[in-house]
Amino acid sequence: MKPSIKLILFILCLPVVVMAQQSSDVVDLKKHKVVIQFNDADSVSQSRVVLQVQNVKAAWPNAEVEVVCLAGGLDLLMTNNSKASKAVAEWSAKGVIFAACNNTMKMRKVKKEDLLTQAVVVPAAIVELSQKQEEGWSYFRGGK
Amino acid sequence: MKPSIKLILFILCLPVVVMAQQSSDVVDLKKHKVVIQFNDADSVSQSRVVLQVQNVKAAWPNAEVEVVCLAGGLDLLMTNNSKASKAVAEWSAKGVIFAACNNTMKMRKVKKEDLLTQAVVVPAAIVELSQKQEEGWSYFRGGK
Amino acid sequence: MKPSIKLILFILCLPVVVMAQQSSDVVDLKKHKVVIQFNDADSVSQSRVVLQVQNVKAAWPNAEVEVVCLAGGLDLLMTNNSKASKAVAEWSAKGVIFAACNNTMKMRKVKKEDLLTQAVVVPAAIVELSQKQEEGWSYFRGGK
C-alpha cells in the first residue's frame, strides 16, 4: 500500500507545487505598460528620458513602453536636433515605441522625412496618451 | 392587406435599423474623458493648453474635457491675466470645464469675481485631478 | 455563570459593533490613494509640494499619499538641501511616504545617510509611479 499512499500524497500536493511555481515567476508574468509624456527640447531632458526608458526596462524587461513626443519634445525624434538618436535606435530595436505628435509637426513645419526612421507619427499626443491610459497603461512625465 | 404587411415588415425591421445606426457611429459612442493639469502662467503655455483642448475635441468630439488650473496656471482664468479668454469662452460653451483651484486662489488672494465667468471653482486641484482619475478619466499635463 | 454568558454575548456582538462603526463613517472609509511625481530642486517647488500633500490630506484625512522624488526633486529629501525638512517629518509621522529614487541617488552620488531619516529608497521612480497606478493610485505632478 505504501506506493499508493505516496501517489495520493503526490497528487494532493500538485496544486501546491503549481502555485509555488506561479508565485516564483510572478514578476515576469505581469504585463507592465508605461506611456511617457515628453515635452522638452534641451539635451539634458533628452538624455534623461532615454535613461528613464532604460530604468523601466531594467526593472521590467517585458514592459511595453511608449514615449510620446510633443512640443519641444519632438526634437528627440528630429534627425537634426536629436541628442539621443543612438539610444532611440537601440531602444526602438528592443520594442520601445517613439511617437511623434502630428499636431506639433504641423505647427513646427516638421515633415516625416525630418524624423529619425524609428519615429512613429500619431495624430495627437493628448489623444495617444489618453488612449493608452484607457487601455490600462501607467503615465509618467519624462525629462529632467 | 398590402399596407398592413408593409407596416409589419417596417416594425420587424426597426431594431435592425437602430442597431445599424449604432454600429455606424460606434466611435462617437465611446465616452472619452480627459483631465488636464495646468500650472503655467506664461502666454505660450496658455495658448498651448487651449490648443491641446482643441486637439482632443477634434479627435473625440464627444469627449469630456476638464482643465484644472493651479499655481501660475490660474492666470488662464483671471480676467486681467488670461491670454486665451476667447478660447476659454468658446470651449466652455462647447462643454469643456475650466476649473480654478481654490487653494491657489486663497494663496494668491484671487477672488471669484477676478475670474472669467466660465471658471468653476474647485476646493483643491490635487483632489479634483485625483477624483477624476478614480472615475476613469485619463490624465494629461497641459502647456508647452 | 452570568459573567460567562455576558462575555460570550459580548464576543458574539463584537463584529456587529465593528461593522456599525465602519458604516457610520463611510466617507472616511473610501480609500483615496495619490502618488506624486516630484522633479524640482528649487525652494518654491519644495514648499509647494508639501502644501499639495497638506491639501489632499485636508480633503481626505485617510488618503494614502506618496511623494516620489527624482532628479532635482531628490533635494527635498537631502539633509543638506531640503527646504521643507520639518514638513516632511510632520507628514511622514502622519503616514505620508517620501520616496527617493535610487537611480537618481547613484547618478548624483547621494548616499542613504545623506537623506532625511524619513526617506524611503525605491529602486526607480518611474517603476514606483507606474506600480502605484497599476494598484489604482491616482497621479499628480507636484511642484510649482
Side-chain angles (χ1 to χ4, degrees), chain A:
Chain A
M1 288 299 269
K2 252 184 172 175
S4 165
I5 289 169
K6 268 189 190 164
L7 186 68
I8 289 164
L9 277 174
F10 175 75
I11 289 164
L12 285 174
C13 290
L14 261 180
V16 177
V17 173
V18 170
M19 283 172 71
Q21 269 194 321
Q22 282 182 331
S23 71
S24 72
D25 46 14
V26 66
V27 173
D28 288 296
L29 289 174
K30 168 90 182 114
K31 195 66 192 165
H32 301 283
K33 295 172 284 183
V34 187
V35 68
I36 301 175
Q37 177 177 354
F38 185 60
N39 285 53
D40 305 315
D42 65 282
S43 58
V44 174
S45 290
Q46 287 194 30
S47 62
R48 202 63 65 79
V49 74
V50 291
L51 214 56
Q52 289 157 343
V53 168
Q54 181 182 306
N55 289 341
V56 70
K57 293 293 279 183
W60 294 330
N62 297 330
E64 286 187 69
V65 179
E66 178 169 326
V67 184
V68 181
C69 301
L70 65 154
L74 188 66
D75 283 34
L76 178 70
L77 304 182
M78 293 169 67
T79 314
N80 290 336
N81 298 0
S82 184
K83 309 295 182 193
S85 57
K86 211 185 139 211
V88 168
E90 283 171 6
W91 286 113
S92 177
K94 290 174 184 162
V96 174
I97 303 294
F98 290 88
C101 173
N102 195 42
N103 285 319
T104 298
M105 288 171 67
K106 284 185 282 183
M107 196 168 59
R108 294 182 55 184
K109 303 190 195 310
V110 173
K111 290 177 186 144
K112 180 82 176 80
E113 54 261 35
D114 302 325
L115 300 182
L116 301 176
T117 55
Q118 295 83 17
V120 172
V121 178
V122 294
I126 187 169
V127 169
E128 182 70 10
L129 286 157
S130 300
Q131 208 153 25
K132 286 284 177 276
Q133 288 173 78
E134 288 176 2
E135 294 165 8
W137 293 53
S138 299
Y139 171 97
F140 180 76
R141 172 70 180 253
K144 71 179 173 197

Side-chain angles (χ1 to χ4, degrees), chain B residues 59-116:
Chain B
W60 295 329
N62 295 330
E64 286 186 69
V65 179
E66 178 170 325
V67 184
V68 181
C69 301
L70 66 153
L74 188 65
D75 282 35
L76 178 69
L77 305 182
M78 293 170 66
T79 314
N80 290 335
N81 299 358
S82 184
K83 309 293 183 196
S85 56
K86 210 183 141 213
V88 168
E90 283 172 4
W91 286 113
S92 178
K94 289 173 185 162
V96 173
I97 304 293
F98 290 88
C101 173
N102 196 41
N103 285 319
T104 299
M105 289 171 67
K106 284 185 280 182
M107 196 167 61
R108 293 183 56 184
K109 302 189 194 311
V110 173
K111 290 177 186 143
K112 180 82 176 81
E113 56 262 36
D114 303 325
L115 300 181
L116 301 176

Side-chain angles (χ1 to χ4, degrees), chain C residues 24-112:
Chain C
S24 71
D25 43 14
V26 65
V27 174
D28 288 296
L29 285 175
K30 166 85 183 117
K31 199 66 192 164
H32 301 283
K33 295 173 284 185
V34 186
V35 68
I36 301 175
Q37 175 177 355
F38 185 58
N39 285 54
D40 305 315
D42 64 282
S43 59
V44 174
S45 290
Q46 287 193 29
S47 63
R48 202 61 65 80
V49 75
V50 291
L51 214 57
Q52 289 158 343
V53 168
Q54 181 183 306
N55 290 341
V56 70
K57 294 292 279 185
W60 294 330
N62 296 329
E64 286 187 70
V65 179
E66 178 169 326
V67 184
V68 181
C69 302
L70 66 154
L74 188 65
D75 282 35
L76 178 70
L77 304 182
M78 294 170 66
T79 315
N80 291 335
N81 299 359
S82 184
K83 309 294 183 197
S85 56
K86 210 183 141 213
V88 168
E90 284 172 4
W91 286 113
S92 178
K94 289 174 185 163
V96 174
I97 304 293
F98 291 89
C101 173
N102 195 42
N103 285 319
T104 299
M105 289 172 67
K106 284 186 281 184
M107 196 168 61
R108 294 183 54 185
K109 302 191 195 311
V110 173
K111 290 179 186 141
K112 180 82 177 82

